[in-house]
């Protein structure tokens, strides 16, 4: 019986080790694919807005801002997540540089999340004033030169607590939160993760849901402002506005769904700090955060394929249609002879 028990223990350990290795391989492959899609999508988006002036608007600049945040996630946060899987959470970079990197990676992870959700909120505000209060055009947040710095300054400032409390622990060489400097560790954990959920998820989503509800009621039930010159023109513009709003609702909903599992994990941390027994397997936690990081890969492609003007610019760039176009098509003086797709692009650029 003794030998049997020893054999069973060894088998169980081997099976556990093999399962853990398989989980690590699967997560590594998922992250590798996600990183490639992230670099390609966000690189294309930034390049299109840089090269094609006709696609530039506050919405496109906000998506470029999100693309920069997503690229930082792909360059810094995703490789760190892969390393965490294979090192069991051990921080392998020694010395002062390792301490700085430990603080910086976590800081960037949460600051980029804040920047992304703020960009989506600004886009919702812009659509709200464009459709519901269309006469109020000179608002400060509709100027990218002011909005972009504000978003990053606010994001960095609101997450500035992490460099102060994130550290490499001497006793286990793990990059982790050291909340003892904040007083009672249980209260600190509860306050910190509740703060993240409220600031980076609940408040922005409530604001955006409220704004898009008003926008939808105006577009689908009451019609937008009716100062257009003809019924046909008015219907065309309202159709395009509905398309843009649908695109933004899809992007926002995707963001909310992707980051929901990670914020559920944050709430589990809060519950554990309240001495509520909730068991969370490491693989489950990694997958939850992978869903959030995968949003960095999904965002740019949603915008490229759902926006008429971005989709057209992307197709032209990939297929190099602009080089094959005859010179007579390079100057267009009216909408009368435009193909439907180009006409939609021109109208969408005005909204």
């Amino acid at each position: 019986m003794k030998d049997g028990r020893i054999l069973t223990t060894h088998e169980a350990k081997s099976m556990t080790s093999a399962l853990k290795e398989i989980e690590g391989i699967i997560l590594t492959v998922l992250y590798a694919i996600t990183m490639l899609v992230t670099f390609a999508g966000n690189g294309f988006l930034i390049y299109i807005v840089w090269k094609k002036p006709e696609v530039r608007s506050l919405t496109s600049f906000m998506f470029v801002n999100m693309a920069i945040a997503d690229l930082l996630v792909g360059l810094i946060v995703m490789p760190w997540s892969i390393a965490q899987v294979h090192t069991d959470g051990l921080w392998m970079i020694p010395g002062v540089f390792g301490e700085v990197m430990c603080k910086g990676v976590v800081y960037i992870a949460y600051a980029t999340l804040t920047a992304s959700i703020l960009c989506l909120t600004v886009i919702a505000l812009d659509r709200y004033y464009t459709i519901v209060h269309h006469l109020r055009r000179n608002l400060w947040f509709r100027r990218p030169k002011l909005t972009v710095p504000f978003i990053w300054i606010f994001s960095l400032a609101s997450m500035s607590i992490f460099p102060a409390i994130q550290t490499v622990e001497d006793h286990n060489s793990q990059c982790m939160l050291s909340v003892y400097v904040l007083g009672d560790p249980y209260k600190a954990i509860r306050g910190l993760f509740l703060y993240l959920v409220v600031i980076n998820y609940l408040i922005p989503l409530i604001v955006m849901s409220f704004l898009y509800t008003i926008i939808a009621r105006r577009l689908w039930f009451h019609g937008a402002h009716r100062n257009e010159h003809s019924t046909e023109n008015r219907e065309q513009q309202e159709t395009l506005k509905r398309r843009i709003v649908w695109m933004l609702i899809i992007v926002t909903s995707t963001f909310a769904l992707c980051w929901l599992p990670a914020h559920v994990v944050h709430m589990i941390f809060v519950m554990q700090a309240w001495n509520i027994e909730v068991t969370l397997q490491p693989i489950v936690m990694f997958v939850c955060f992978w869903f959030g990081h995968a949003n960095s890969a999904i965002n740019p492609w949603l915008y490229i394929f759902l926006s008429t003007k971005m989709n057209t610019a992307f197709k032209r760039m990939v297929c190099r249609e602009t080089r094959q176009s005859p010179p007579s098509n390079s100057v267009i003086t009216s909408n009368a002879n435009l193909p439907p797709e180009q006409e939609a692009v021109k109208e969408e650029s005005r909204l």
Side-chain angles (χ1 to χ4, degrees), residues 57-339:
S57 64
L58 179 63
T59 299
S60 64
F61 278 116
M62 288 300 99
F63 272 98
V64 166
N65 212 30
M66 291 174 65
I68 294 170
D70 291 337
L71 285 174
L72 287 173
V73 172
L75 286 168
I76 298 173
V77 181
M78 291 187 197
W80 173 61
S81 299
I82 295 173
Q84 291 284 94
V85 172
H86 293 282
T87 61
D88 292 326
L90 293 178
W91 190 251
M92 307 302 291
I93 306 174
V96 176
F97 181 71
E99 181 77 17
V100 172
M101 286 296 295
C102 167
K103 295 176 181 291
V105 168
V106 178
Y107 187 29
I108 289 171
Y110 286 113
T112 53
L113 171 58
T114 307
S116 295
I117 196 72
L118 275 178
C119 287
L120 291 174
T121 306
V122 169
I123 292 171
L125 278 170
D126 176 60
R127 288 295 94 193
Y128 172 77
Y129 279 101
T130 297
I131 294 169
V132 180
H133 300 290
H134 63 281
L135 296 178
R136 299 183 63 181
R137 297 183 179 274
N138 296 321
L139 298 168
W140 72 269
F141 65 84
R142 304 184 80 173
R143 302 174 185 175
K145 290 182 179 180
L146 296 177
T147 307
V148 171
F150 169 79
I151 286 173
W152 283 106
I153 290 171
F154 181 86
S155 301
L156 293 170
S158 62
M159 298 294 116
S160 59
I161 189 172
F162 284 99
I165 62 176
Q166 194 77 21
T167 187
V168 179
E169 294 289 344
D170 293 330
H171 66 280
N172 58 11
S173 297
Q174 290 186 337
C175 178
M176 57 193 302
L177 293 172
S178 180
V179 295
Y180 296 97
V181 296
L182 302 177
D184 185 341
Y186 294 103
K187 290 182 179 179
I189 289 291
R190 291 197 297 266
L192 180 64
F193 288 107
L194 280 174
Y195 173 78
L196 284 175
V197 173
V198 171
I199 294 295
N200 281 351
Y201 198 74
L202 291 180
I203 290 179
L205 286 181
I206 289 170
V207 170
M208 286 187 283
S209 299
F210 177 74
L211 293 175
Y212 282 129
T213 299
I214 296 174
I215 292 169
R217 288 185 61 187
R218 174 61 64 91
L219 285 177
W220 274 271
F221 299 105
H222 301 291
H225 48 86
R226 302 182 178 275
N227 60 344
E228 288 86 356
H229 297 294
S230 67
T231 302
E232 182 180 355
N233 189 37
R234 183 178 68 240
E235 290 177 355
Q236 183 184 43
Q237 288 207 3
E238 289 189 6
T239 300
L240 288 170
K241 287 173 183 175
R242 292 189 187 108
R243 185 187 303 166
I244 294 170
V245 171
W246 265 121
M247 174 193 73
L248 296 174
I249 290 174
I250 290 171
V251 171
T252 303
S253 300
T254 303
F255 183 94
L257 290 173
C258 285
W259 278 104
L260 177 61
H263 286 296
V264 169
V265 172
H266 290 155
M267 289 307 300
I268 289 175
F269 293 158
V270 173
M271 294 168 67
Q272 290 173 344
W274 259 311
N275 294 321
I276 300 173
E277 291 295 330
V278 182
T279 303
L280 185 64
Q281 296 296 326
I283 183 63
V284 175
M285 184 174 67
F286 278 118
V287 170
C288 287
F289 280 99
W290 172 78
F291 273 110
H293 298 156
N295 185 251
S296 296
I298 297 171
N299 266 337
W301 293 110
L302 281 178
Y303 186 43
I304 288 171
F305 288 122
L306 294 178
S307 169
T308 303
K309 58 184 180 179
M310 289 295 294
N311 193 11
T312 302
F314 176 72
K315 288 178 180 177
R316 286 180 177 178
M317 184 184 72
V318 173
C319 301
R320 302 190 181 278
E321 292 177 357
T322 52
R323 293 185 179 180
Q324 302 172 5
S325 299
S328 58
N329 290 341
S330 61
V331 178
I332 299 172
T333 56
S334 71
N335 291 347
N337 299 318
L338 283 174

